[in-house]
Amino acid sequence: MVEVLMESGGQEVVVPESGGSRSSTPTEGSPKISQISADHLSLSPIQDFYSGENIFITGGTGFLGKLLIEKLLRSCPGIGFIYVLIRPKKGKDIHERAEELLDSPLFDKLKETHPKFRHQIVAVAGECNAPDLGISPSDRATLIQEVSIVFHVAATLRFDEKLKLAVAVNVHGTKLMLDLAKEMPKLKSFIHVSTAYANCVEKVIGEKFYQPPIEASKLMTLVECMDDKLAEDITPRLLGKFPNTYAFTKAIAENVIHEEAGDLTVGVFRPAIVISTYREPLRGWIDNLYGPTGVAAGAGTGLLRSLHCDGSMQANVVPGDMTVNALIVSAWDVYDRRRKGDSELPVYNYVSKDNKLTWDQLKDLTSKNGIHLPSIKAIWYYSFRNNKYKFIHLFYVYFLHLLPAFLIDAATLCVGREPRLLKVYSKIHKFMEVLRYFSTNEWAFSNDNVNSMVDKLTTRDRENFFCDIKALSWEKFFEMYIQGIRVYLIKDPLDTLPEAREKWRKLYWIHQVTKVILAYVALRISWSVISSLWLLVA
């Protein structure tokens, strides 16, 4: 049974009137708000490709997913409905989570230019590790009938995820998405979002498919037969040279696409390490602490002093908005290739090889801008460096992380408060260990398919869907990146900047005095040792 709701503007939206999940579904044949407004517009090739089409997105509540939804609605007039797979979480149903998603400042610009855009977002209850994706039969029928473009973005991004869950979401979920897509008679394009590091056991990574470490069917059968303890025990042997379950399962998921796509118009999109936005819709917007972002936040607040990292190696990072633009264009390119008779499944390595940035350059740009934008929440002055050699890094960890944390926590206990700093450093060190593999190794990527795709764009689409990494200014990017970390992650508005700069000056002098005291103590100890040895020799 369905319930028809009249929203402002007269658009009809129907939702199942059943217990549990309620997912809004457009009535068959109902007009699409943006499509009506686009009838008299001159559309670019990319906009024309999306005009009148209904999209299905998994992973829509994640960083890339939110950017993708916002960009499609803002830059593709004429687009139909965007169906978003959402799972209930932490006591919130899918509609509460959808509203929470749309309350993000990311959608503020869209609210001004397209105030009725919420009509076009349709929440679909489900999750990638459930049978049949957890989608109800009625919702499944709607998706099959209406959807023509699919973006499979969902994945468990935790590098240390349990193997069983990583396989269920990243591998089995991909297979279930393909099975669903095969039933869609209107399907024009299916893009599977992987990672540039899916095949990180190779040092040269081309835009092609690689042999998986194990067949998907064998792996899924294997983990289904194991309990959690056995799966955890066998994980290191299964991973082999792979650094974590994320890269391992993403490599196998790519093979699922290669082996089971059949005649579907499919492409694989492999982004590098995605960081904040560059230009749109908000400069420097970021909502997670993954990768270099966590390092920048930790260093800027004075918590992080060292990273085990070869600073001369390339930091393969890409801005979030440019990544999403390239993702949107790749769906068009896959369709265009097939229309012209190319039956090969294209792979797109969206990497920064044509505009290289080393880890040391990243550190320098981060510190240069961070020192001018200090946070009021900083607990110490900036004192961070990349350490190529592990023993030097460990020296910093023990003497500049753990020892101060132990002393502060001990003092905290003495005044009857709960100690927290050692727990914080436990999480930081776990994060650093995950990042170490990527900051001490380097890969040679090819990106011919991406460059060819960009070259095909019209001048208008190049501007609307800016994704040419060669045209990116890292200097300008990092100005907004650090500001975005401060405002959106540390939750420290720019209003506090005068107060933060005053605190920063005090922390600077405390830092300098501390260094002098430590140097004096070190000299005294050294002199005592040398004097004792001299007396023994004499």
Side-chain angles (χ1 to χ4, degrees), residues 16-72:
E17 196 182 51
S18 57
S21 64
R22 289 173 70 236
S23 60
S24 53
T25 307
T27 54
E28 185 177 355
S30 61
K32 300 174 177 59
I33 298 170
S34 58
Q35 187 174 348
I36 294 173
S37 65
D39 285 344
H40 303 294
L41 296 178
S42 174
L43 301 179
S44 70
I46 302 297
Q47 291 172 332
D48 186 61
F49 171 73
Y50 283 97
S51 181
E53 306 298 341
N54 296 317
I55 319 295
F56 182 39
I57 297 175
T58 67
T61 57
F63 178 63
L64 279 183
K66 284 186 275 194
L67 284 170
L68 177 60
I69 293 168
E70 194 277 341
K71 179 63 177 181
L72 285 170

Side-chain angles (χ1 to χ4, degrees), residues 309-370:
C309 170
D310 187 340
S312 65
M313 291 184 172
Q314 184 181 357
N316 193 22
V317 295
V318 287
D321 55 334
M322 294 179 67
T323 301
V324 161
N325 286 339
L327 176 59
I328 290 170
V329 174
S330 71
W332 164 79
D333 191 59
V334 167
Y335 174 78
D336 187 62
R337 284 168 174 258
R338 183 61 63 91
R339 186 173 58 85
K340 293 177 179 177
D342 186 352
S343 60
E344 186 177 349
L345 300 183
V347 176
Y348 302 90
N349 286 343
Y350 192 67
V351 295
S352 57
K353 64 162 287 189
D354 295 328
N355 194 351
K356 292 183 178 180
L357 181 77
T358 66
W359 287 102
D360 274 345
Q361 288 174 321
L362 188 152
K363 177 185 74 68
D364 292 343
L365 287 168
T366 299
S367 62
K368 172 186 172 183
N369 290 284

Side-chain angles (χ1 to χ4, degrees), residues 130-196:
D132 292 328
L133 300 169
I135 302 174
S136 70
S138 60
D139 284 346
R140 188 179 183 91
T142 299
L143 293 173
I144 290 170
Q145 179 183 354
E146 299 293 336
V147 169
S148 52
I149 300 170
V150 175
F151 291 100
H152 180 40
V153 186
T156 172
L157 300 177
R158 286 182 54 182
F159 285 0
D160 59 347
E161 186 64 83
K162 301 292 186 184
L163 181 64
K164 291 192 75 168
L165 182 56
V167 170
V169 175
N170 296 348
V171 180
H172 194 217
T174 299
K175 183 183 185 306
L176 292 175
M177 280 297 298
L178 274 179
D179 292 342
L180 176 60
K182 288 175 182 177
E183 297 183 56
M184 296 176 176
K186 300 177 183 177
L187 189 73
K188 293 172 63 176
S189 187
F190 180 110
I191 299 295
H192 169 71
V193 178
S194 184
T195 169

